[in-house]
Amino acid sequence: VTGAVGPLNPTIPGYDFGSPSSAQSPISLEDLANLEQTLGWTGEDEQRLRKHIELFRSQAERMVDTWRAVIAAQPHLWQWFAGPDGKPDDTYKAAVKRRFVQWVVDVATRPHDQAWLNYQEEIGLRHTPEKKNKTDGRHTPAYVPLRYLLAFLPVVTNVQQFFDPAIADPEDRTALERSWTKAVHLHITLWSRPYTREGLF
Ligand code: HEM
């Protein structure tokens, strides 16, 4: 599969973007367009993120490490990464981290097409009992409660710190953070679908 950002990265285990192993989204592209309109997501946001792709590439790991530190500091959060012995499963954390870093780059580059929509369903499922642990064959708790996905949004959208000093103009930094925030909000909205009662999403 090729797209605006070139071929898939096949070197990340379990990264099934655009692959037949990915779930299929039950959401139509029309529903998606309505959600985007509701969020105020426009082509300008898409272009702004893509324009700064090198910045996201260079900062992605730092971003993920920063967010991981927030999780590591709170036992009620890191418990979702703990193995049967109650300790953080480092093999799991390392495997998930590579896909999380790739996700940052994907948010900034991937067009919101059917393959993208399908992978959002997949990532949502990977936080729920249907697919959590399955990709990496681990034995951590069966799901991450939806309330923590939602509550984590302000953490993952507080990103201006990563744009400084690469983007000198504060207005440009704010605009980029705003586009990133809308994109992440859209992702989490789509990931919430597998958590909802049939017909209520
Ligand atoms: C804004 C909130 C969040 C974002 C953007 C996010 C993002 C991601 C991404 C990109 C992945 C990898 C998807 C893939 O396999 O390609 C992932 C997996 C995972 N996330 Fe989250 N996440 C969020 C909230 C949380 C929270 C609050 C927790 C728990 C403290 C959590 C725990 C996990 C776990 C355990 C996995 C691995 C699931 C598996 O077994 O495949 N996530 N997340």
Side-chain angles (χ1 to χ4, degrees), residues 47-92:
Q47 281 161 26
R48 188 175 292 115
L49 290 176
R50 198 163 295 159
K51 186 177 141 194
H52 293 288
I53 177 55
E54 286 314 323
L55 180 57
F56 284 103
R57 280 212 179 98
S58 69
Q59 295 299 304
E61 185 167 15
R62 222 183 115 207
M63 288 166 134
V64 172
D65 286 341
T66 304
W67 304 330
R68 279 277 172 97
V70 174
I71 292 178
Q74 303 181 58
H76 66 270
L77 292 179
W78 67 248
Q79 65 172 315
W80 311 115
F81 287 93
D85 62 358
K87 296 194 185 120
D89 179 337
D90 290 331
T91 305
Y92 185 49

Short mmCIF file of all heavy atoms in Angstrom, two decimals, residues 47-92:
data_model
loop_
_atom_site.label_atom_id
_atom_site.label_comp_id
_atom_site.label_asym_id
_atom_site.label_seq_id
_atom_site.Cartn_x
_atom_site.Cartn_y
_atom_site.Cartn_z
N GLN A 47 -2.93 20.30 6.12
CA GLN A 47 -1.71 20.83 5.48
C GLN A 47 -0.71 21.34 6.50
O GLN A 47 0.50 21.17 6.34
CB GLN A 47 -2.08 21.97 4.53
CG GLN A 47 -2.61 21.47 3.19
CD GLN A 47 -3.39 22.54 2.45
OE1 GLN A 47 -3.16 23.74 2.64
NE2 GLN A 47 -4.32 22.13 1.61
N ARG A 48 -1.23 21.97 7.56
CA ARG A 48 -0.33 22.52 8.58
C ARG A 48 0.47 21.39 9.25
O ARG A 48 1.68 21.51 9.44
CB ARG A 48 -1.13 23.31 9.62
CG ARG A 48 -0.25 24.08 10.60
CD ARG A 48 -1.05 24.95 11.55
NE ARG A 48 -1.70 26.06 10.88
CZ ARG A 48 -3.02 26.22 10.78
NH1 ARG A 48 -3.84 25.35 11.32
NH2 ARG A 48 -3.53 27.26 10.16
N LEU A 49 -0.20 20.31 9.58
CA LEU A 49 0.50 19.17 10.22
C LEU A 49 1.52 18.58 9.25
O LEU A 49 2.67 18.32 9.62
CB LEU A 49 -0.50 18.10 10.66
CG LEU A 49 -1.42 18.46 11.83
CD1 LEU A 49 -2.42 17.34 12.08
CD2 LEU A 49 -0.62 18.72 13.11
N ARG A 50 1.10 18.41 8.00
CA ARG A 50 1.99 17.76 7.03
C ARG A 50 3.21 18.61 6.73
O ARG A 50 4.31 18.09 6.51
CB ARG A 50 1.21 17.47 5.74
CG ARG A 50 1.91 16.44 4.89
CD ARG A 50 0.99 15.83 3.85
NE ARG A 50 -0.09 15.07 4.43
CZ ARG A 50 -1.22 14.79 3.77
NH1 ARG A 50 -1.41 15.22 2.55
NH2 ARG A 50 -2.17 14.08 4.36
N LYS A 51 3.00 19.92 6.75
CA LYS A 51 4.11 20.84 6.49
C LYS A 51 5.23 20.66 7.53
O LYS A 51 6.40 20.87 7.24
CB LYS A 51 3.56 22.27 6.57
CG LYS A 51 4.53 23.36 6.19
CD LYS A 51 3.84 24.72 6.25
CE LYS A 51 4.81 25.75 6.82
NZ LYS A 51 4.14 26.99 7.21
N HIS A 52 4.84 20.25 8.72
CA HIS A 52 5.82 20.12 9.80
C HIS A 52 6.20 18.68 10.07
O HIS A 52 6.63 18.33 11.17
CB HIS A 52 5.28 20.78 11.07
CG HIS A 52 5.17 22.26 10.94
ND1 HIS A 52 6.26 23.09 10.92
CD2 HIS A 52 4.09 23.06 10.79
CE1 HIS A 52 5.85 24.34 10.77
NE2 HIS A 52 4.54 24.35 10.69
N ILE A 53 6.09 17.85 9.02
CA ILE A 53 6.35 16.43 9.21
C ILE A 53 7.73 16.15 9.80
O ILE A 53 7.88 15.27 10.65
CB ILE A 53 6.12 15.64 7.89
CG1 ILE A 53 6.47 14.17 8.10
CG2 ILE A 53 6.85 16.21 6.72
CD1 ILE A 53 5.73 13.52 9.24
N GLU A 54 8.73 16.91 9.36
CA GLU A 54 10.08 16.63 9.88
C GLU A 54 10.16 16.92 11.37
O GLU A 54 10.85 16.22 12.11
CB GLU A 54 11.14 17.42 9.10
CG GLU A 54 11.40 16.86 7.70
CD GLU A 54 11.56 15.33 7.66
OE1 GLU A 54 12.15 14.76 8.61
OE2 GLU A 54 11.06 14.70 6.71
N LEU A 55 9.45 17.95 11.80
CA LEU A 55 9.41 18.27 13.22
C LEU A 55 8.76 17.11 14.01
O LEU A 55 9.28 16.67 15.04
CB LEU A 55 8.62 19.57 13.43
CG LEU A 55 8.46 20.08 14.86
CD1 LEU A 55 9.82 20.29 15.52
CD2 LEU A 55 7.67 21.39 14.85
N PHE A 56 7.64 16.61 13.50
CA PHE A 56 6.98 15.49 14.19
C PHE A 56 7.88 14.25 14.18
O PHE A 56 7.98 13.55 15.19
CB PHE A 56 5.61 15.19 13.57
CG PHE A 56 4.57 16.20 13.97
CD1 PHE A 56 4.16 17.21 13.10
CD2 PHE A 56 4.01 16.16 15.24
CE1 PHE A 56 3.21 18.16 13.49
CE2 PHE A 56 3.06 17.10 15.64
CZ PHE A 56 2.66 18.11 14.75
N ARG A 57 8.53 13.99 13.04
CA ARG A 57 9.44 12.83 12.98
C ARG A 57 10.53 12.94 14.04
O ARG A 57 10.86 11.99 14.72
CB ARG A 57 10.11 12.74 11.61
CG ARG A 57 9.25 12.12 10.56
CD ARG A 57 10.07 11.32 9.52
NE ARG A 57 9.14 10.74 8.57
CZ ARG A 57 8.87 11.28 7.38
NH1 ARG A 57 9.48 12.36 6.97
NH2 ARG A 57 7.97 10.72 6.59
N SER A 58 11.08 14.16 14.15
CA SER A 58 12.22 14.32 15.07
C SER A 58 11.77 14.33 16.53
O SER A 58 12.55 13.98 17.41
CB SER A 58 12.98 15.61 14.74
OG SER A 58 12.20 16.74 15.06
N GLN A 59 10.52 14.72 16.79
CA GLN A 59 10.06 14.84 18.17
C GLN A 59 9.23 13.66 18.66
O GLN A 59 8.93 13.56 19.86
CB GLN A 59 9.21 16.12 18.32
CG GLN A 59 9.99 17.41 18.09
CD GLN A 59 11.12 17.58 19.08
OE1 GLN A 59 10.91 17.56 20.29
NE2 GLN A 59 12.34 17.69 18.58
N ALA A 60 8.83 12.77 17.74
CA ALA A 60 7.85 11.73 18.10
C ALA A 60 8.30 10.90 19.31
O ALA A 60 7.50 10.68 20.23
CB ALA A 60 7.60 10.82 16.89
N GLU A 61 9.54 10.47 19.31
CA GLU A 61 9.96 9.62 20.43
C GLU A 61 9.97 10.41 21.74
O GLU A 61 9.56 9.90 22.78
CB GLU A 61 11.33 9.00 20.16
CG GLU A 61 11.69 8.02 21.28
CD GLU A 61 12.86 7.12 20.97
OE1 GLU A 61 13.61 7.41 20.00
OE2 GLU A 61 13.04 6.13 21.72
N ARG A 62 10.43 11.66 21.66
CA ARG A 62 10.43 12.51 22.87
C ARG A 62 9.01 12.70 23.40
O ARG A 62 8.76 12.69 24.60
CB ARG A 62 11.04 13.87 22.50
CG ARG A 62 11.99 14.42 23.53
CD ARG A 62 12.47 15.80 23.10
NE ARG A 62 12.01 16.83 24.03
CZ ARG A 62 11.81 18.10 23.69
NH1 ARG A 62 11.98 18.51 22.44
NH2 ARG A 62 11.42 18.95 24.61
N MET A 63 8.08 12.91 22.47
CA MET A 63 6.68 13.08 22.87
C MET A 63 6.19 11.84 23.61
O MET A 63 5.64 11.92 24.71
CB MET A 63 5.81 13.33 21.62
CG MET A 63 6.00 14.69 20.98
SD MET A 63 5.24 14.69 19.32
CE MET A 63 4.36 16.20 19.38
N VAL A 64 6.42 10.70 22.99
CA VAL A 64 5.93 9.44 23.58
C VAL A 64 6.60 9.21 24.94
O VAL A 64 5.93 8.82 25.91
CB VAL A 64 6.16 8.26 22.62
CG1 VAL A 64 5.85 6.93 23.31
CG2 VAL A 64 5.30 8.43 21.37
N ASP A 65 7.90 9.48 25.04
CA ASP A 65 8.59 9.31 26.34
C ASP A 65 8.00 10.24 27.40
O ASP A 65 7.85 9.84 28.56
CB ASP A 65 10.09 9.59 26.19
CG ASP A 65 10.81 8.46 25.45
OD1 ASP A 65 10.25 7.35 25.38
OD2 ASP A 65 11.93 8.69 24.95
N THR A 66 7.65 11.44 27.01
CA THR A 66 7.07 12.40 27.95
C THR A 66 5.72 11.90 28.45
O THR A 66 5.42 11.96 29.65
CB THR A 66 6.91 13.78 27.27
OG1 THR A 66 8.19 14.19 26.78
CG2 THR A 66 6.36 14.82 28.23
N TRP A 67 4.88 11.40 27.53
CA TRP A 67 3.55 10.90 27.92
C TRP A 67 3.68 9.63 28.75
O TRP A 67 2.94 9.42 29.72
CB TRP A 67 2.69 10.66 26.67
CG TRP A 67 2.57 11.88 25.82
CD1 TRP A 67 2.59 13.19 26.25
CD2 TRP A 67 2.43 11.93 24.39
NE1 TRP A 67 2.47 14.04 25.17
CE2 TRP A 67 2.37 13.31 24.01
CE3 TRP A 67 2.35 10.97 23.37
CZ2 TRP A 67 2.24 13.73 22.68
CZ3 TRP A 67 2.22 11.38 22.05
CH2 TRP A 67 2.16 12.75 21.72
N ARG A 68 4.65 8.79 28.36
CA ARG A 68 4.90 7.56 29.12
C ARG A 68 5.29 7.87 30.56
O ARG A 68 4.94 7.13 31.48
CB ARG A 68 6.02 6.76 28.46
CG ARG A 68 5.57 5.94 27.28
CD ARG A 68 4.99 4.65 27.79
NE ARG A 68 4.37 3.86 26.77
CZ ARG A 68 4.95 2.85 26.14
NH1 ARG A 68 6.19 2.55 26.38
NH2 ARG A 68 4.26 2.15 25.27
N ALA A 69 6.04 8.95 30.74
CA ALA A 69 6.48 9.33 32.09
C ALA A 69 5.27 9.68 32.95
O ALA A 69 5.24 9.40 34.16
CB ALA A 69 7.46 10.49 32.03
N VAL A 70 4.27 10.28 32.34
CA VAL A 70 3.04 10.61 33.08
C VAL A 70 2.35 9.32 33.53
O VAL A 70 1.89 9.20 34.67
CB VAL A 70 2.09 11.46 32.19
CG1 VAL A 70 0.76 11.70 32.89
CG2 VAL A 70 2.75 12.79 31.83
N ILE A 71 2.32 8.34 32.64
CA ILE A 71 1.71 7.05 32.99
C ILE A 71 2.53 6.34 34.07
O ILE A 71 1.99 5.84 35.06
CB ILE A 71 1.57 6.16 31.73
CG1 ILE A 71 0.53 6.78 30.78
CG2 ILE A 71 1.18 4.72 32.10
CD1 ILE A 71 0.34 6.05 29.47
N ALA A 72 3.86 6.36 33.90
CA ALA A 72 4.75 5.65 34.83
C ALA A 72 4.65 6.21 36.25
O ALA A 72 4.92 5.51 37.22
CB ALA A 72 6.18 5.71 34.33
N ALA A 73 4.26 7.48 36.36
CA ALA A 73 4.20 8.13 37.67
C ALA A 73 2.90 7.83 38.42
O ALA A 73 2.76 8.21 39.58
CB ALA A 73 4.37 9.64 37.50
N GLN A 74 1.95 7.17 37.75
CA GLN A 74 0.64 6.94 38.37
C GLN A 74 0.27 5.45 38.30
O GLN A 74 -0.10 4.94 37.23
CB GLN A 74 -0.43 7.78 37.65
CG GLN A 74 -0.09 9.28 37.67
CD GLN A 74 -1.15 10.14 36.99
OE1 GLN A 74 -2.31 10.12 37.37
NE2 GLN A 74 -0.74 10.88 35.97
N PRO A 75 0.34 4.77 39.46
CA PRO A 75 0.06 3.33 39.48
C PRO A 75 -1.30 2.96 38.88
O PRO A 75 -1.43 1.91 38.24
CB PRO A 75 0.10 2.97 40.97
CG PRO A 75 0.91 4.05 41.61
CD PRO A 75 0.70 5.29 40.80
N HIS A 76 -2.29 3.83 39.04
CA HIS A 76 -3.60 3.50 38.47
C HIS A 76 -3.57 3.58 36.94
O HIS A 76 -4.51 3.12 36.29
CB HIS A 76 -4.70 4.40 39.05
CG HIS A 76 -4.57 5.84 38.67
ND1 HIS A 76 -3.87 6.75 39.42
CD2 HIS A 76 -5.02 6.52 37.60
CE1 HIS A 76 -3.92 7.93 38.83
NE2 HIS A 76 -4.61 7.82 37.72
N LEU A 77 -2.49 4.16 36.38
CA LEU A 77 -2.34 4.15 34.92
C LEU A 77 -1.40 3.03 34.46
O LEU A 77 -1.71 2.30 33.53
CB LEU A 77 -1.81 5.51 34.43
CG LEU A 77 -2.78 6.69 34.57
CD1 LEU A 77 -2.15 7.98 34.07
CD2 LEU A 77 -4.09 6.43 33.82
N TRP A 78 -0.22 2.90 35.12
CA TRP A 78 0.71 1.87 34.59
C TRP A 78 0.22 0.46 34.84
O TRP A 78 0.71 -0.49 34.24
CB TRP A 78 2.15 2.12 35.01
CG TRP A 78 2.56 1.99 36.46
CD1 TRP A 78 2.95 3.01 37.28
CD2 TRP A 78 2.71 0.78 37.24
NE1 TRP A 78 3.30 2.53 38.52
CE2 TRP A 78 3.16 1.15 38.52
CE3 TRP A 78 2.49 -0.58 36.99
CZ2 TRP A 78 3.39 0.24 39.55
CZ3 TRP A 78 2.73 -1.51 38.01
CH2 TRP A 78 3.17 -1.09 39.27
N GLN A 79 -0.79 0.30 35.72
CA GLN A 79 -1.31 -1.06 35.94
C GLN A 79 -1.80 -1.70 34.64
O GLN A 79 -1.79 -2.93 34.51
CB GLN A 79 -2.45 -1.03 36.97
CG GLN A 79 -3.67 -0.26 36.49
CD GLN A 79 -4.88 -0.40 37.42
OE1 GLN A 79 -5.21 -1.50 37.86
NE2 GLN A 79 -5.51 0.71 37.73
N TRP A 80 -2.18 -0.89 33.66
CA TRP A 80 -2.69 -1.46 32.41
C TRP A 80 -1.57 -2.03 31.55
O TRP A 80 -1.81 -2.67 30.54
CB TRP A 80 -3.50 -0.41 31.63
CG TRP A 80 -4.51 0.27 32.52
CD1 TRP A 80 -4.53 1.59 32.87
CD2 TRP A 80 -5.62 -0.33 33.21
NE1 TRP A 80 -5.58 1.84 33.73
CE2 TRP A 80 -6.26 0.69 33.96
CE3 TRP A 80 -6.13 -1.64 33.26
CZ2 TRP A 80 -7.38 0.43 34.75
CZ3 TRP A 80 -7.25 -1.88 34.05
CH2 TRP A 80 -7.86 -0.86 34.78
N PHE A 81 -0.30 -1.74 31.95
CA PHE A 81 0.88 -2.30 31.27
C PHE A 81 1.55 -3.38 32.11
O PHE A 81 2.65 -3.81 31.80
CB PHE A 81 1.90 -1.18 30.99
CG PHE A 81 1.51 -0.24 29.89
CD1 PHE A 81 0.83 0.94 30.15
CD2 PHE A 81 1.82 -0.55 28.56
CE1 PHE A 81 0.48 1.81 29.12
CE2 PHE A 81 1.46 0.32 27.53
CZ PHE A 81 0.80 1.51 27.82
N ALA A 82 0.91 -3.78 33.22
CA ALA A 82 1.55 -4.72 34.14
C ALA A 82 1.23 -6.17 33.77
O ALA A 82 0.11 -6.49 33.38
CB ALA A 82 1.10 -4.44 35.57
N GLY A 83 2.24 -7.02 33.93
CA GLY A 83 2.06 -8.45 33.69
C GLY A 83 1.42 -9.12 34.89
O GLY A 83 1.10 -8.46 35.89
N PRO A 84 1.26 -10.45 34.82
CA PRO A 84 0.62 -11.20 35.90
C PRO A 84 1.36 -11.05 37.24
O PRO A 84 0.75 -11.24 38.30
CB PRO A 84 0.68 -12.65 35.42
CG PRO A 84 0.87 -12.56 33.94
CD PRO A 84 1.62 -11.30 33.68
N ASP A 85 2.66 -10.70 37.20
CA ASP A 85 3.41 -10.51 38.45
C ASP A 85 3.19 -9.13 39.05
O ASP A 85 3.79 -8.79 40.08
CB ASP A 85 4.91 -10.76 38.22
CG ASP A 85 5.52 -9.77 37.22
OD1 ASP A 85 4.76 -8.92 36.67
OD2 ASP A 85 6.73 -9.83 36.99
N GLY A 86 2.36 -8.31 38.41
CA GLY A 86 2.06 -6.98 38.94
C GLY A 86 3.11 -5.94 38.61
O GLY A 86 2.98 -4.78 39.00
N LYS A 87 4.15 -6.34 37.87
CA LYS A 87 5.19 -5.38 37.49
C LYS A 87 5.01 -4.97 36.03
O LYS A 87 4.48 -5.75 35.23
CB LYS A 87 6.57 -6.02 37.65
CG LYS A 87 6.87 -6.37 39.09
CD LYS A 87 8.35 -6.67 39.27
CE LYS A 87 8.65 -7.15 40.68
NZ LYS A 87 9.22 -8.51 40.71
N PRO A 88 5.46 -3.75 35.68
CA PRO A 88 5.33 -3.33 34.28
C PRO A 88 5.99 -4.36 33.35
O PRO A 88 7.08 -4.84 33.63
CB PRO A 88 6.10 -2.00 34.25
CG PRO A 88 6.05 -1.49 35.66
CD PRO A 88 6.06 -2.71 36.54
N ASP A 89 5.30 -4.71 32.29
CA ASP A 89 5.80 -5.68 31.30
C ASP A 89 6.63 -4.90 30.28
O ASP A 89 6.10 -4.29 29.36
CB ASP A 89 4.60 -6.38 30.64
CG ASP A 89 5.03 -7.39 29.58
OD1 ASP A 89 6.14 -7.26 29.04
OD2 ASP A 89 4.22 -8.29 29.29
N ASP A 90 7.96 -4.96 30.44
CA ASP A 90 8.83 -4.13 29.60
C ASP A 90 8.83 -4.58 28.14
O ASP A 90 8.99 -3.75 27.24
CB ASP A 90 10.26 -4.15 30.17
CG ASP A 90 10.35 -3.37 31.48
OD1 ASP A 90 9.56 -2.41 31.67
OD2 ASP A 90 11.21 -3.72 32.34
N THR A 91 8.65 -5.86 27.91
CA THR A 91 8.59 -6.34 26.52
C THR A 91 7.38 -5.73 25.82
O THR A 91 7.46 -5.24 24.68
CB THR A 91 8.47 -7.89 26.50
OG1 THR A 91 9.56 -8.43 27.25
CG2 THR A 91 8.49 -8.43 25.09
N TYR A 92 6.26 -5.75 26.53
CA TYR A 92 5.02 -5.16 26.02
C TYR A 92 5.20 -3.67 25.77
O TYR A 92 4.90 -3.16 24.68
CB TYR A 92 3.94 -5.41 27.07
CG TYR A 92 2.52 -4.99 26.74
CD1 TYR A 92 1.92 -5.33 25.53
CD2 TYR A 92 1.77 -4.30 27.68
CE1 TYR A 92 0.59 -4.99 25.28
CE2 TYR A 92 0.44 -3.96 27.44
CZ TYR A 92 -0.14 -4.30 26.24
OH TYR A 92 -1.45 -3.97 26.00
#
